[in-house]
Amino acid sequence: MRPFLRLLGALSLSAWPVVLSYSTSPRGGGEAVRGSRASENRRAFLTHATAAASLLTPLSSSAFENRLDNKYADVSPQVGTQPTNLSVSPRPSKSAGSYTGLAPCPKSPNCWCSSPPPGDNLARYLPAWKGGSMSDVKKVIDTYEVGQGGIDGGGFKIIEYDEKNQFIYVQFQSYKAGYIDDFEVWFNPEKGKFDVRSASRIGMSDLGVNAKRLDYIGTRLEKEHGWVLERRKNGSLV
C-alpha cells in the first residue's frame, strides 16, 4: 500500500496547481494565462506521475531481494532450468567406477567441482577444502558482498541449508542478464573435507565468474575461520 499512497500523493500534488490557476485567473482576458499555466501544469503532472510510477516498478518474480539495485530488475532474467542432479548422490565414475557426492561438471568450461575423482575431468577439478563446519560457510554466504569482483550483482539466495548433514545450496544471479549459477558445499566424510561445486546453467564460457566466486568464499574461509585450501602456484584456487 505504501508505494500506491506515494503515487496518489505525487499525482495529487502535481494536479493541485491546475485548480489554483483556474480559480484565481479572471474570467475576462485571462485565456492566454490559463492556457500557459495549464500547459505548464500538464508538464509538471507528467513529470510527477513518471517519478511516482517508478516507485511501483516491480521486481521480476525471479529477481533476488538483495540484488545491487532495481536497474535491471524488470528485465526477464535468463535463469535457465534448475539442474535435477544437484545435492549428494551415488554417481558413476569414468576412472573409479562410482563415487558418492556432488554432480560432476559437464565438458563446458563454466563449472568447478571437487567431488568426482580427478581422473574423470581434471580440467574442471577443484581440490576439496579442509575446514571446521558448515556453519562457517553459511556465515560467509550470509555476509556475501553482492557485486564483489564485478559478479553476482543480481544477488543470491540460500535454497537449502542442512547443518546436520553438512550441506548448503545457494543460487547466485548475474546483474544484467539474470543468469543463475548453482553453488553447493558438502562435507564428505570419506575425505574428511568439504566438496565444493560452482556451475553455470547456460552457455559455455562463464568469463571467470565461478572462479571469482570460489576464490572470494574460499579466501574468507581461510582468513576468518582458519580453513586450509589447496592453491595453485600462482595463488589461485582454480
Side-chain angles (χ1 to χ4, degrees):
M1 289 297 294
R2 290 182 179 178
F4 180 70
L5 292 175
R6 289 201 299 269
L7 175 60
L8 289 179
L11 295 179
S12 62
L13 286 175
S14 61
W16 180 247
V18 178
V19 178
L20 291 180
S21 65
Y22 278 90
S23 61
T24 57
S25 298
R27 289 182 177 273
E31 296 300 328
V33 175
R34 287 198 296 271
S36 176
R37 289 182 179 177
S39 178
E40 292 177 0
N41 288 326
R42 280 194 295 270
R43 286 195 295 269
F45 178 87
L46 291 174
T47 300
H48 284 292
T50 301
S54 67
L55 297 174
L56 300 181
T57 301
L59 284 172
S60 165
S61 60
S62 299
F64 296 142
E65 293 182 356
N66 56 4
R67 61 182 291 114
L68 279 176
D69 53 49
N70 294 338
K71 185 175 181 180
Y72 300 99
D74 59 341
V75 177
S76 297
Q78 306 297 311
V79 299
T81 302
Q82 180 173 317
T84 58
N85 62 346
L86 299 177
S87 192
V88 180
S89 178
R91 306 177 188 277
S93 168
K94 297 178 181 178
S95 62
S98 66
Y99 75 94
T100 297
L102 306 177
C105 287
K107 294 182 179 180
S108 55
N110 58 4
C111 170
W112 299 94
C113 186
S114 55
S115 271
D120 284 7
N121 190 355
L122 185 60
R124 313 315 306 167
Y125 178 72
L126 168 71
W129 295 355
K130 183 178 180 180
S133 68
M134 189 59 64
S135 62
D136 296 339
V137 180
K138 188 174 186 299
K139 289 176 182 177
V140 171
I141 298 299
D142 284 339
T143 56
Y144 187 87
E145 183 183 356
V146 173
Q148 64 84 21
I151 68 170
D152 300 332
F156 65 90
K157 183 178 182 179
I158 296 177
I159 305 300
E160 182 179 352
Y161 175 62
D162 187 340
E163 189 171 10
K164 180 180 178 181
N165 294 306
Q166 296 287 283
F167 174 79
I168 191 169
Y169 166 42
V170 188
Q171 292 180 358
F172 290 91
Q173 190 169 45
S174 66
Y175 183 47
K176 294 182 179 180
Y179 296 122
I180 293 287
D181 290 350
D182 300 295
F183 176 83
E184 302 170 275
V185 182
W186 169 64
F187 179 72
N188 188 329
E190 293 186 4
K191 297 179 181 178
K193 296 181 179 181
F194 291 82
D195 282 340
V196 185
R197 184 178 189 271
S198 187
S200 301
R201 296 179 180 178
I202 299 177
M204 287 292 290
S205 173
D206 63 357
L207 302 178
V209 169
N210 286 286
K212 288 182 179 180
R213 182 182 305 116
L214 288 166
D215 188 72
Y216 173 89
I217 295 173
T219 298
R220 285 193 55 186
L221 286 170
E222 288 177 318
K223 293 181 177 180
E224 298 173 21
H225 301 283
W227 284 42
V228 178
L229 278 59
E230 184 178 333
R231 293 181 174 272
R232 299 187 178 189
K233 292 182 179 180
N234 63 0
S236 66
L237 289 176
V238 296

